[in-house]
Amino acid sequence: MKTGRQTFNKWQLPLTLVLFLSGLLLVMALRSLAASDSNPTRLQNDNLVNLIKTQEREIAGIQADISARRNLINNSRLTSASGKQALVSLQSQIQQLDIVAGYTEAKGPGLLISLDDNRKDAEAAQARNPAQFKPDDFLIHDRNLLYVVNDLRAAGAEAISVNDQRVVASTEFRCAGNTILVNTTRLAPPYIIRAIGNQNSLTRTLDLPESEFNILKMSGFPVSVESSPALLLPAYKGSYQFSFATPKAGS
Amino acid sequence: MWLPILGLLLGIGIGSALAIPIPGIYAKYLSVAVLAALDSVFGGLKSIIEDKFDGAVLLTGFFTNALLAALLAFLGDRLGVDLYLAAVFAFGVRLFQNLAIIRREMIANWLQKRRLSVQEAKKNG
């Protein structure tokens, strides 16, 4: 029994030490291998992604600031208007301009249009003829959105939004890599366009053979349109800056 | 019995916790060293089962093998010859040999125990 105990102790400690060091080495090797996976391109991508994220956070902060200031203006406007009849007409004018400028949320009847990339046909086309497959032909581009919005405006739409971005006078539709920028915010498909206006006239314009919506529909894109009695459009989250343009005096 | 396993877990735990940064270019040498370490571990287990265990042999074998393997890999890189493959081959073969011996010994021990217990049962019955 005593010798058994001795042999037991004899191998335990060295083996423990060896196993301890083996474990340590193993983990270190695994870690360094995982670290060596990251190549410069991926590192650069990570940096860029981080940059975008911080910028977006900054934008969100500034937008919160803008909406707070806007509330402040509204409040002071209300208090200043109390009891002053002369200002009432101006106030209603301002309210209308607020809708045009997108400073307030807008609600009313209109159309809800959905545009999406044509993934089904894209896959089929790629399977059929990979050499001549052009993925661009099956995506919704910035210009498609712009044309649809333009058609809606021509049909008398009073307020328009794309996804969560209100379309205002300064709104741009821009292609940025594989996303579309609207109000310098990245959008992803499906694109939901809400337009407040005369439903009949809007629908008629969309149904015209040369309308962008109709062209997309005929090209096989999964697009849809539905009437809604009560749409709610978000307010424009950005701000207008005028550094060069000034109103002409006397007009 | 549990102390060596505890040592292994402790090694993995400390290794993960400390997170010593190793540049990617040394990853290969470290991998070869790990192989050498594993070879030592299985060699030790084999010697325990064969009742020929010697702590000094195990420890010196562990350090010299791991260091030599890493050194060989390093030298191979300098010379433009994949010398580390020699270490991988040698340790790999030894690993499997040791594993085979451990397996045989364990089966032999188990069979012997069973035979003894059967004999015991016969005697009693």
Side-chain angles (χ1 to χ4, degrees):
Chain A
M1 196 64 210
K2 199 180 173 190
T3 51
R5 181 87 194 152
Q6 259 173 357
T7 51
F8 179 78
N9 276 338
K10 199 176 84 180
W11 60 261
Q12 271 218 339
L13 274 177
L15 197 67
T16 304
L17 187 67
V18 165
L19 271 169
F20 169 75
L21 290 170
S22 300
L24 206 66
L25 276 176
L26 190 69
V27 170
M28 274 158 69
L30 288 177
R31 267 176 179 274
S32 65
L33 275 178
S36 67
D37 272 352
S38 57
N39 52 28
T41 326
R42 220 183 76 185
L43 219 67
Q44 202 189 2
N45 280 348
D46 286 349
N47 281 342
L48 289 174
V49 167
N50 277 336
L51 197 70
I52 290 170
K53 277 184 182 155
T54 46
Q55 300 274 23
E56 280 180 342
R57 231 173 289 138
E58 241 170 73
I59 289 173
I62 292 169
Q63 281 175 347
D65 192 40
I66 289 172
S67 64
R69 276 160 203 272
R70 212 170 272 165
N71 280 338
L72 200 72
I73 293 171
N74 274 337
N75 286 339
S76 50
R77 197 188 280 163
L78 284 177
T79 49
S80 70
S82 60
K84 293 174 190 169
Q85 280 295 324
L87 283 176
V88 169
S89 70
L90 276 177
Q91 292 285 352
S92 75
Q93 209 179 332
I94 287 171
Q95 273 170 8
Q96 277 186 354
L97 290 174
D98 273 349
I99 289 178
V100 174
Y103 275 162
T104 55
E105 289 186 328
K107 64 174 196 284
L111 298 186
L112 197 138
I113 299 153
S114 161
L115 310 173
D116 203 353
D117 294 340
N118 191 358
R119 296 196 191 83
K120 205 177 64 190
D121 283 357
E123 278 167 24
Q126 192 172 23
R128 206 181 317 119
N129 197 348
Q132 292 190 343
F133 172 64
K134 277 188 255 155
D136 276 1
D137 293 350
F138 300 94
L139 297 178
I140 295 285
H141 291 276
D142 45 341
R143 59 173 183 279
N144 300 126
L145 283 183
L146 184 61
Y147 289 168
V148 171
V149 167
N150 200 36
D151 286 345
L152 290 170
R153 275 182 164 158
E158 289 164 4
I160 302 171
S161 74
V162 180
N163 286 11
D164 275 335
Q165 292 304 318
R166 182 73 165 268
V167 178
V168 294
S170 62
T171 295
E172 85 288 12
F173 289 80
R174 202 147 53 94
C175 177
N178 50 7
T179 57
I180 297 176
L181 292 183
V182 173
N183 290 343
T184 60
T185 308
R186 287 178 296 158
L187 300 189
Y191 305 102
I192 309 291
I193 302 176
R194 292 182 176 82
I196 294 177
N198 183 326
Q199 289 176 329
N200 284 336
S201 124
L202 291 175
T203 315
R204 225 177 300 127
T205 305
L206 289 186
D207 285 344
L208 288 176
E210 68 269 23
S211 86
E212 183 70 12
F213 180 82
N214 205 32
I215 291 169
L216 287 174
K217 195 166 150 188
M218 292 303 157
S219 316
F221 281 87
V223 297
S224 70
V225 58
E226 56 182 278
S227 308
S228 168
L231 288 170
L232 181 67
L233 270 55
Y236 175 50
K237 298 186 191 79
S239 71
Y240 296 97
Q241 280 175 3
F242 293 98
S243 309
F244 300 101
T246 49
K248 186 169 173 266
S251 62
Chain B
M1 181 63 197
W2 293 109
L3 201 62
I5 294 170
L6 200 74
L8 179 66
L9 292 179
L10 200 69
I12 291 172
I14 289 179
S16 318
L18 283 183
I20 309 152
I22 307 271
I25 42 167
Y26 297 126
K28 198 163 73 180
Y29 311 143
L30 211 56
S31 304
V32 180
V34 167
L35 199 65
L38 280 178
D39 171 63
S40 288
V41 169
F42 282 102
L45 285 176
K46 188 196 78 170
S47 64
I48 290 167
I49 281 187
E50 287 185 334
D51 241 352
K52 290 193 295 198
F53 184 82
D54 189 332
V57 169
L58 175 68
L59 285 177
T60 52
F62 174 81
F63 285 112
T64 50
N65 277 351
L67 277 177
L68 192 70
L71 207 70
L72 210 64
F74 175 73
L75 195 69
D77 269 2
R78 297 292 114 163
L79 293 174
V81 184
D82 287 339
L83 263 183
Y84 75 97
L85 284 176
V88 170
F89 181 72
F91 292 129
V93 167
R94 282 233 324 242
L95 256 174
F96 280 107
Q97 274 178 351
N98 285 341
L99 262 177
I101 291 168
I102 291 168
R103 180 171 48 86
R104 275 159 215 250
E105 286 284 335
M106 282 176 101
I107 290 174
N109 280 349
W110 181 68
L111 282 178
Q112 204 178 3
K113 254 188 206 162
R114 221 175 69 152
R115 208 177 301 129
L116 281 176
S117 66
V118 167
Q119 277 175 4
E120 200 102 318
K122 269 185 190 165
K123 239 187 261 170
N124 291 345

